[in-house]
């Protein structure tokens, strides 16, 4: 075989020239194949990341909502809602039917109406109402036996005096 040429169609596998000729088109295609594979992998990775982020966001949103409602319920148990306060407190000083002093009447009084006997009953009732009002808005009305208002004292948030 040393000087003979091979038969037509009988390629020598070990020949360097044949490997180069067969390998050249494949070698030219590998960068293009690698680039396409990378594009497919990148596209799939992006889609998978977006899907995972969307599912994670939805799950965290549900967890946050559940946690928020749980904490609100616990807070209501720990601290019951505050009762609405009266914007302006109204105090009424009315004479008693038995003619033995006056009654101080108001929804703001914790124990209900108060009875003040004696000649200084009206002054004592006004003094207690002023003390109980503090710095809130209030109106003190003094009535006569017929039920008519004879005096009105008003206190706003700004001023301390009636």
């Amino acid at each position: 075989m040393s000087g003979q040429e091979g038969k037509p169609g009988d390629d020598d596998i070990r020949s360097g020239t044949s490997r180069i000729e067969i390998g050249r088109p494949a070698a030219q295609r590998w960068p293009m194949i690698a680039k396409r594979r990378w594009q497919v992998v990148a596209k799939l990775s992006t889609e998978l990341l977006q899907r995972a982020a969307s599912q994670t966001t939805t799950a965290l949103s549900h967890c946050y909502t559940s946690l928020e409602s749980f904490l609100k319920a616990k807070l209501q148990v720990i601290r019951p809602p505050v009762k609405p306060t009266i914007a302006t407190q109204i105090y009424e000083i009315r004479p008693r039917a038995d003619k033995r002093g006056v009654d101080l009447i108001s929804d703001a009084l914790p124990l209900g109406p108060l009875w003040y006997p004696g000649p200084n009953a009206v002054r004592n009732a006004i003094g207690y109402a002023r003390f109980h009002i503090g710095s809130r808005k209030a109106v003190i009305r003094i009535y006569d036996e017929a039920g008519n208002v004879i005096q009105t004292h008003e206190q706003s948030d700004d001023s301390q005096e009636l």
Side-chain angles (χ1 to χ4, degrees), residues 85-91 106 108-110 128-140 153-162:
T85 58
I86 302 169
T88 302
Q89 296 177 351
I90 299 175
Y91 293 87
S106 176
L109 295 173
Y128 180 81
R130 284 183 177 170
F131 173 77
H132 194 267
I133 290 168
S135 64
R136 295 178 293 264
K137 282 184 157 184
V139 175
I140 301 173
H153 301 274
E154 295 186 30
Q155 176 180 336
S156 63
D157 290 338
D158 312 359
S159 66
Q160 286 291 328
E161 290 191 31
L162 292 175

Side-chain angles (χ1 to χ4, degrees), residues 37-141:
R37 282 187 183 169
W38 174 250
Q39 289 172 346
V40 169
V41 168
K43 184 177 179 183
L44 287 176
S45 298
T46 304
E47 289 176 4
L48 287 174
L49 284 174
Q50 287 176 345
R51 188 176 303 143
S54 174
Q55 291 172 352
T56 304
T57 303
T58 304
L60 287 176
S61 174
H62 290 303
C63 288
Y64 175 78
T65 305
S66 298
L67 180 63
E68 183 181 30
S69 62
F70 172 75
L71 290 175
K72 281 182 180 178
K74 280 296 184 184
L75 185 63
Q76 289 297 322
V77 170
I78 294 170
R79 186 186 63 191
V82 178
K83 294 180 183 177
T85 58
I86 302 169
T88 302
Q89 296 177 351
I90 299 175
Y91 293 87
E92 297 178 353
I93 300 174
R94 295 182 177 267
R96 292 179 56 93
D98 60 4
K99 310 275 190 214
R100 295 185 343 182
V102 295
D103 286 327
L104 176 62
I105 304 167
S106 176
D107 289 338
L109 295 173
L111 302 174
L114 297 174
W115 172 41
Y116 289 92
N120 294 328
V122 173
R123 188 177 327 164
N124 293 338
I126 291 173
Y128 180 81
R130 284 183 177 170
F131 173 77
H132 194 267
I133 290 168
S135 64
R136 295 178 293 264
K137 282 184 157 184
V139 175
I140 301 173
R141 295 183 185 136

